[in-house]
């Protein structure tokens, strides 16, 4: 969750290769791996970055969407992350090129598959990877948004999993809290 809007201007020496999506979005190589291994087609909107979220919230503030309220990380940034997740979950990933919503829309609205075309396939599951390391301050706003999200969508529609490396040293597994 770096502050950059996308990976296009990041040094490959610091962050690794940039992957270019079909719509021209420049993302982390992870999205390229997901596309290849899952045989899906992602859009730049599937790449939710801190820079994009803050840019959208600041744009809303400048337009007066918050009616003069003090804009804060909680609830404004965390709500924006949750809204983005719900909206991007409606973007098809089956290579048909149709879009259901516009992340840059001023009113934040989106269309469902039934609104546009009943034949468009939308994924049954939306997998969110919070990059970085748990405990990094940059990830904390995303983890808080996900903590809140479970209450928005209900426990039957939410599963949070932490993944940790368990290296094998010789013949013995080594573990440590991550």
């Amino acid at each position: 969750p770096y502050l950059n809007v996308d990976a296009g201007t990041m040094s490959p020496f610091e962050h690794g290769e940039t992957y270019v999506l079909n719509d021209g979005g420049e993302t982390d190589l992870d999205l390229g791996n997901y596309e290849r291994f899952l045989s899906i087609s992602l859009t730049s909107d599937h790449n939710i970055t801190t820079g994009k979220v803050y840019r959208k919230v600041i744009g809303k503030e400048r337009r007066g969407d918050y009616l003069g309220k003090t804009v804060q990380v909680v609830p404004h940034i965390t709500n924006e992350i949750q809204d983005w997740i719900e909206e991007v979950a409606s973007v098809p990933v089956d290579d048909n090129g149709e879009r259901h919503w516009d992340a840059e829309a001023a009113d934040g609205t989106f269309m469902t598959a039934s609104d546009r075309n009943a034949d468009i396939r939308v994924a049954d599951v939306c997998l969110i990877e919070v990059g970085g390391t748990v405990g990094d301050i940059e990830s904390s706003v995303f983890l808080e948004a996900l903590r809140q999200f479970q209450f928005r969508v209900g426990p039957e529609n939410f599963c949070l999993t932490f993944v940790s490396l368990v290296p094998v040293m010789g013949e013995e597994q080594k573990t440590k809290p991550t």
Side-chain angles (χ1 to χ4, degrees):
Y2 37 79
L3 288 176
N4 303 61
V5 171
D6 62 34
T9 60
M10 295 175 74
S11 167
F13 297 109
E14 287 183 25
H15 193 73
E17 285 184 58
T18 297
Y19 183 79
V20 180
L21 299 166
N22 289 338
D23 68 358
E26 298 173 319
T27 69
D28 189 289
L29 192 54
D30 291 347
L31 268 73
N33 291 330
Y34 295 144
E35 279 197 337
R36 287 189 292 266
F37 292 118
L38 299 173
S39 297
I40 59 176
S41 182
L42 300 173
T43 69
S44 59
D45 296 326
H46 286 98
N47 184 34
I48 307 170
T49 66
T50 305
K52 287 181 182 180
V53 172
Y54 273 78
R55 182 172 66 184
K56 190 163 183 189
V57 169
I58 289 168
K60 287 181 176 182
E61 183 271 333
R62 300 312 306 155
R63 282 190 309 275
D65 294 1
Y66 299 118
L67 303 174
K69 292 181 182 172
T70 301
V71 178
Q72 298 178 304
V73 173
V74 177
H76 300 97
I77 298 294
T78 55
N79 285 347
E80 190 63 43
I81 292 168
Q82 293 173 70
D83 292 346
W84 201 310
I85 290 169
E86 280 191 309
E87 292 167 358
V88 81
S90 297
V91 175
V93 295
D94 63 353
D95 261 341
N96 66 12
E98 294 284 334
R99 284 182 51 131
H100 295 267
W101 68 287
D102 184 356
E104 301 298 325
D107 62 1
T109 60
F110 63 98
M111 299 175 71
T112 64
S114 60
D115 293 334
R116 170 104 28 115
N117 179 348
D119 294 332
I120 295 172
R121 287 185 29 217
V122 175
D124 294 324
V125 175
C126 182
L127 175 69
I128 308 297
E129 174 196 326
V130 178
T133 302
V134 173
D136 286 350
I137 196 164
E138 295 87 1
S139 301
S140 62
V141 67
F142 284 87
L143 296 175
E144 174 58 19
L146 289 172
R147 186 195 68 77
Q148 295 172 9
F149 193 63
Q150 68 183 323
F151 302 112
R152 182 189 285 201
V153 299
E156 68 280 1
N157 294 310
F158 184 84
C159 176
L160 184 62
T161 303
F162 291 91
V163 179
S164 180
L165 175 65
V166 181
V168 176
M169 308 292 279
E171 293 183 22
E172 184 179 348
Q173 287 184 340
K174 298 290 184 180
T175 60
K176 69 179 201 176
T178 56

